[in-house]
Amino acid sequence: MAEAQIRRILLPSGADLEYTLERKNVKNLNLRVCPDGSVRVSASRRVPIREIEAFLAGHEAFICRARNRFQERPQPTSLQYVTGETVSYLGRPLELQVVPADKDRVYIRDNRLILELRAPENAALRERLLNRFWDRECWTLFPEILRECYPLFRELGVSYPTLRVRSMKSRWGSCLPAKGIITLSKQLLAAPRGCIEYVVVHEYCHFLHPNHGKGFYALLTDRMPDWKARKAVLNGEARPADQ
């Protein structure tokens, strides 16, 4: 079981950094900056604190950039699932419209996401129906993109992975190379398709390079030369080329 503790370090700039250290059965030091600005480090129990703090000090610029990016990114507001709200779907805004009907269903028409409900006043039903639609769309699109990107890695000996889809607020995707599993965030459905393709290729690369070293980025660039542009759109740092 992972052991977690909160620690503080004085960075080279003089800034005071609070971080959460998790002791896990991992081979390498792993650093993650969460959307709320918190910093988490996972390390083996054998790695001394001085090495972990030197690692953090060497990544101060990365931590600052990540925190600034999250601060500048518009924060999503909680949906009330009522007419007039905006839902992002594959990179385009859709106006939500709740309509009384004889049968419950959700569909997209033009630039509207329409919820037809027998009980439109039922907020829980509105939320449940939209979430079912979202899940269905994820399970339609994500496997398709996984299949389309796979030939780029089949020739490298990568076995076809198992897909998992779940809600992840702090990351777009993850993978377990040893188990052949790629997990994608439901939140990705709001992003343009090209950004979803980038996340899938990114995770495929981890089957051959578990860490973000030079080999990983060399493979990512070889398989998807424009990955930086796609990543910038995904992170809200640039607009899609067709907008």
Side-chain angles (χ1 to χ4, degrees):
M1 181 178 295
E3 301 173 4
Q5 57 179 253
I6 297 176
R7 301 184 61 88
R8 305 187 78 89
I9 178 180
L10 194 64
L11 296 171
S13 67
D16 184 56
L17 174 69
E18 179 180 282
Y19 69 97
T20 299
L21 172 61
E22 294 180 313
R23 294 292 192 174
K24 296 181 176 180
N25 185 24
V26 294
K27 294 182 179 179
N28 302 286
L29 284 167
N30 299 297
L31 169 64
R32 181 157 62 96
V33 180
C34 301
D36 63 2
S38 62
V39 175
R40 306 185 73 88
V41 179
S42 58
S44 165
R45 294 172 178 82
R46 294 173 294 181
V47 180
I49 292 295
R50 65 178 180 276
E51 184 175 335
I52 294 171
E53 295 192 343
F55 172 76
L56 282 168
H59 286 78
E60 179 178 7
F62 166 80
I63 294 170
C64 290
R65 287 196 302 270
R67 283 178 160 177
N68 289 338
R69 187 174 69 241
F70 283 128
Q71 288 176 355
E72 293 168 359
R73 186 183 302 177
Q75 297 300 310
T77 56
S78 297
L79 283 175
Q80 300 300 312
Y81 306 96
V82 296
T83 294
E85 289 184 312
T86 300
V87 177
S88 183
Y89 174 83
L90 293 179
R92 62 189 179 109
L94 300 177
E95 181 182 345
L96 192 61
Q97 189 170 30
V98 180
V99 180
D102 296 330
K103 182 179 179 180
D104 295 340
R105 64 172 182 152
V106 184
Y107 57 94
I108 294 173
R109 176 178 293 168
D110 300 324
N111 292 317
R112 295 175 297 158
L113 179 58
I114 301 174
L115 274 69
E116 292 188 348
L117 297 166
R118 287 171 290 182
E121 72 285 352
N122 188 326
L125 178 61
R126 297 196 302 267
E127 179 178 0
R128 185 165 63 250
L129 196 63
L130 185 55
N131 285 339
R132 286 177 182 172
F133 168 82
W134 205 257
D135 288 347
R136 187 168 63 248
E137 291 296 300
C138 285
W139 278 108
T140 297
L141 182 63
F142 292 175
E144 177 183 306
I145 293 177
L146 209 66
R147 288 193 302 270
E148 290 179 356
C149 295
Y150 178 63
L152 295 171
F153 297 89
R154 178 174 51 205
E155 63 187 50
L156 301 177
V158 175
S159 298
Y160 194 79
T162 298
L163 174 66
R164 291 178 179 173
V165 179
R166 64 186 182 90
S167 180
M168 296 191 291
K169 296 181 180 180
S170 62
R171 58 175 63 184
W172 298 115
S174 64
C175 71
L176 295 171
K179 296 183 178 180
I181 296 171
I182 287 179
T183 302
L184 298 178
S185 168
K186 291 181 183 181
Q187 285 74 17
L188 260 181
L189 192 63
R193 184 186 177 104
C195 295
I196 304 173
E197 292 168 352
Y198 155 69
V199 174
V200 168
V201 170
H202 180 112
E203 300 306 332
Y204 267 128
C205 287
H206 277 312
F207 279 76
L208 297 167
H209 298 278
N211 303 302
H212 294 110
K214 292 182 179 179
F216 170 85
Y217 286 110
L219 178 60
L220 179 59
T221 301
D222 180 68
R223 302 290 101 166
M224 182 174 277
D226 65 340
W227 70 268
K228 290 183 180 179
R230 298 182 191 226
K231 181 181 180 182
V233 172
L234 182 62
N235 289 336
E237 299 166 355
R239 297 182 64 184
D242 60 349
Q243 289 189 10

